[in-house]
Amino acid sequence: RIMSYSDKKVIGVWIDHLHAYIIGTPDLKNEGEYDVLKKIESHFNPSNGKSEGVMNHKHSNELKKLYKEVGEQVSQADAVFIIGPGKAQEELKNFLQEDRHFQAKEIELGTADHLSMNQMVAKIRTHFFHN
């Protein structure tokens, strides 16, 4: 299934439970210089001495904040490509799809473990630019 992104605004996200990188071109076109447009930090840090229930609650609140911030950053795009290790990218996709605003958008998942910045950017660029 080959998608054409040539007339769409596109953006990529690399995410785990600690931070997210928003990756794209300055005008969100699929052609051009891809770069990290923004890094978003989650403020979750497991501290000792708290009960697991409290920690989980705090963690899930921090994740919601992280996903919400990512959502704000990618809301201008028509197509969003989300990569990263673990479950964060699926959680982000589900979070975005609960938002009416994202229902008409195309949200795709890819897999990627820990990549260097350049690899992240290249993977996002390849996804959009070569399709």
Side-chain angles (χ1 to χ4, degrees), residues 10 23-37 121-122 124-125 129:
V10 301
I23 297 165
T25 61
D27 56 1
L28 304 188
K29 295 270 189 272
N30 77 318
E31 296 173 43
E33 277 301 309
Y34 280 71
D35 205 350
V36 174
L37 304 175
V121 171
I124 302 274
R125 179 181 179 277
F129 189 66

Side-chain angles (χ1 to χ4, degrees), residues 10-71:
V10 301
I11 201 151
V13 179
W14 184 96
I15 190 165
D16 65 13
H17 283 157
L18 297 175
H19 30 62
Y21 294 92
I22 309 298
I23 297 165
T25 61
D27 56 1
L28 304 188
K29 295 270 189 272
N30 77 318
E31 296 173 43
E33 277 301 309
Y34 280 71
D35 205 350
V36 174
L37 304 175
K38 190 168 173 71
K39 179 181 182 189
I40 303 169
E41 296 275 353
S42 165
H43 301 292
F44 175 69
N45 45 11
S47 52
N48 300 328
K50 296 253 170 71
S51 78
E52 203 169 310
V54 169
M55 292 307 296
N56 285 345
H57 181 69
K58 185 166 173 10
H59 191 195
S60 94
N61 285 346
E62 287 301 336
L63 284 179
K64 281 202 185 87
K65 259 189 247 168
L66 178 66
Y67 299 155
K68 186 170 183 291
E69 248 183 280
V70 170

Side-chain angles (χ1 to χ4, degrees), residues 45-114:
N45 45 11
S47 52
N48 300 328
K50 296 253 170 71
S51 78
E52 203 169 310
V54 169
M55 292 307 296
N56 285 345
H57 181 69
K58 185 166 173 10
H59 191 195
S60 94
N61 285 346
E62 287 301 336
L63 284 179
K64 281 202 185 87
K65 259 189 247 168
L66 178 66
Y67 299 155
K68 186 170 183 291
E69 248 183 280
V70 170
E72 286 162 10
Q73 293 297 318
V74 302
S75 63
Q76 301 308 308
D78 303 312
V80 183
F81 182 49
I82 306 169
I83 59 174
K87 289 200 165 32
Q89 76 271 44
E90 278 171 47
E91 291 167 3
L92 175 62
K93 180 180 182 178
N94 295 339
F95 181 86
L96 294 179
Q97 286 178 328
E98 285 168 18
D99 182 336
R100 241 173 4 96
H101 185 77
F102 282 92
Q103 281 166 2
K105 299 178 189 288
E106 190 183 311
I107 303 174
E108 289 183 275
L109 295 179
T111 52
D113 281 326
H114 292 279

